[in-house]
Amino acid sequence: MIEAQPNRAMYGQTLVELGEQDPRIIVFEADIAKSTNTYRFGERFPERFFNCGAAELNMVCMAAGASTMGLIPFASTFCMFASMRACEAVRQSVCYAKRNVKIVATNAGVEIAGDGPSHQAVEDLAIMRVMANLIVLSPSDPVTTRLATRAIAAYVGPVYMRLGRQVAPVLHAEETPFEIGTMIRLRDGGDVTIIATGNMVEQALIAADELSRAGVEARVLDCHTIKPIDRQAIVHAAQETGCLVTAEDHSIYGGLGGAVSEVVAETCPVLVHRVGLADRFASSGRDYKALLRHFGLHAGAIVDQVQQALSRRRAYSRDLASPLRSSEWG
């Protein structure tokens, strides 16, 4: 039975399982194997494990080169370094060339807590989402981390997957169907839809419980794949619940909220409220949960945004029902 643990730990365990099954899988590391948990693979398969040192751009280039030999390289470091220090290599050597490289980065969002803005990645989803040919994933719990790691190993093409640092509760059943690009519905509801990714899925479920006690039934979708985004699930949610709230441990710009907003603007315009980091850097803090509260990355903030969205929707409905407004619109 899968138990609560950091998603990076499940990633390391699954890598070993995959390594047993497929000798083409090799791992590159940027001198933080203990943090990313790829050390597990290194202990089992030292001949297929390469510590590149704190040289992330070189690491990604080496992984791209290895892929030309028919190997399946996984390259791991922190999200901040994978998306920014190695950015050019990701674009030029992996995405442009469509190399079969899996970039799996840990310590997403503010989960690294005490290491502060230099190590907190609140822009990586936006950076990676704009890269052509790149699949972008953000699993929420140990179950979906295991399923996602298996799925990206089987997928032929470039992938970026972000993982958190802290212990993640189990939110999904082990037999949950998993498909890249397809959201998982965790809770039904007809009043509003909360679309969350990564560690914010747990907060979305807590928020849905609180809203239910107040008479508001919220649908909760786990968006484990940021790109390609599940357009069908978003459109159905917009049509069936009338307003959406997104939640991510990331900037509100360019990540999940941006992707969802693009879809509804193009297909089914409804209100979209975004929970995430505003236009600012995060900061250090020893208490990770206190940081989440400080930056509004928690269930209470989701509840607030749902209530605001519902209030605005009711106001719009009253305006549309007004004879004066109706006549103004012809």
Side-chain angles (χ1 to χ4, degrees):
M1 184 179 73
I2 295 177
E3 298 178 343
Q5 59 184 292
N7 289 336
R8 59 194 172 115
M10 178 55 77
Y11 165 59
Q13 295 172 30
T14 308
L15 264 186
V16 174
E17 296 169 7
L18 291 169
E20 300 279 4
Q21 299 162 8
D22 193 336
R24 295 175 301 166
I25 291 178
I26 61 175
V27 172
F28 292 92
E29 174 58 47
D31 210 26
I32 47 175
K34 285 289 185 182
S35 289
T36 62
N37 273 249
T38 54
Y39 76 92
R40 300 169 188 266
F41 189 93
E43 290 177 346
R44 178 66 184 84
F45 308 104
E47 73 282 5
R48 289 193 266 154
F49 181 78
F50 305 93
N51 184 348
C52 304
E56 293 80 5
L57 188 148
N58 290 341
M59 176 186 71
V60 172
C61 289
M62 292 170 68
S67 73
T68 67
M69 305 295 288
L71 300 171
I72 305 175
F74 281 70
S76 290
T77 181
F78 290 172
C79 294
M80 190 276 176
F81 305 130
S83 62
M84 285 175 253
R85 282 190 178 176
C87 186
E88 181 187 353
V90 172
R91 181 185 186 275
Q92 305 288 72
S93 300
V94 175
C95 297
Y96 180 69
K98 297 183 181 179
R99 296 301 179 200
N100 191 23
V101 173
K102 321 303 174 186
I103 302 166
V104 181
T106 67
N107 298 38
V110 302
E111 290 201 39
I112 201 166
D115 284 7
S118 65
H119 287 56
Q120 291 166 335
V122 295
E123 309 92 348
D124 60 314
L125 291 178
I127 294 168
M128 293 304 201
R129 196 166 74 85
V130 78
M131 298 280 188
N133 302 324
L134 190 64
I135 301 294
V136 180
L137 289 95
S138 171
S140 61
D141 77 337
V143 172
T144 48
T145 296
R146 167 179 276 182
L147 296 172
T149 305
R150 291 173 176 172
I152 66 175
Y155 172 79
V156 179
V159 173
Y160 174 75
M161 183 164 76
R162 77 172 343 216
L163 302 172
R165 177 183 179 84
Q166 307 291 331
V167 173
V170 174
L171 305 176
H172 296 272
E174 292 187 39
E175 62 274 15
T176 296
F178 184 94
E179 182 178 353
I180 293 173
T182 301
M183 294 188 197
I184 301 173
R185 186 182 297 198
L186 275 167
R187 184 180 177 121
D188 286 320
D191 296 323
V192 61
T193 298
I194 304 170
I195 304 176
T197 193
N199 61 347
M200 291 302 289
V201 175
E202 177 193 12
Q203 299 300 314
L205 289 169
I206 296 171
D209 286 341
E210 183 174 337
L211 288 164
S212 182
R213 290 191 288 271
V216 176
E217 296 303 328
R219 179 180 305 181
V220 176
L221 300 177
D222 180 345
C223 184
H224 53 69
T225 306
I226 305 298
K227 181 189 173 193
I229 196 80
D230 187 346
R231 297 176 67 90
Q232 186 175 45
I234 295 169
V235 171
H236 284 169
Q239 292 172 336
E240 294 167 4
T241 68
C243 61
L244 312 176
V245 173
T246 63
E248 57 195 312
D249 185 356
H250 183 269
S251 168
I252 60 172
Y253 302 109
L256 171 65
V260 169
S261 298
E262 290 167 11
V263 172
V264 297
E266 293 168 352
T267 58
C268 183
V270 297
L271 286 170
V272 178
H273 281 226
R274 295 169 295 168
V275 173
L277 208 66
D279 187 20
R280 59 168 301 179
F281 289 102
S283 58
S284 291
R286 291 183 178 179
D287 186 336
Y288 160 66
K289 292 187 177 179
L291 272 185
L292 292 182
R293 290 192 297 273
H294 179 73
F295 291 111
L297 304 172
H298 57 94
I302 297 173
V303 169
D304 287 344
Q305 290 300 316
V306 166
Q307 291 172 336
Q308 290 183 37
L310 293 176
S311 177
R312 290 180 64 196
R313 188 177 65 181
R314 285 192 292 270
Y316 289 154
S317 297
R318 286 195 298 270
D319 286 348
L320 290 172
S322 162
L324 176 60
R325 290 299 181 91
S326 296
S327 63
E328 285 177 342
W329 290 9

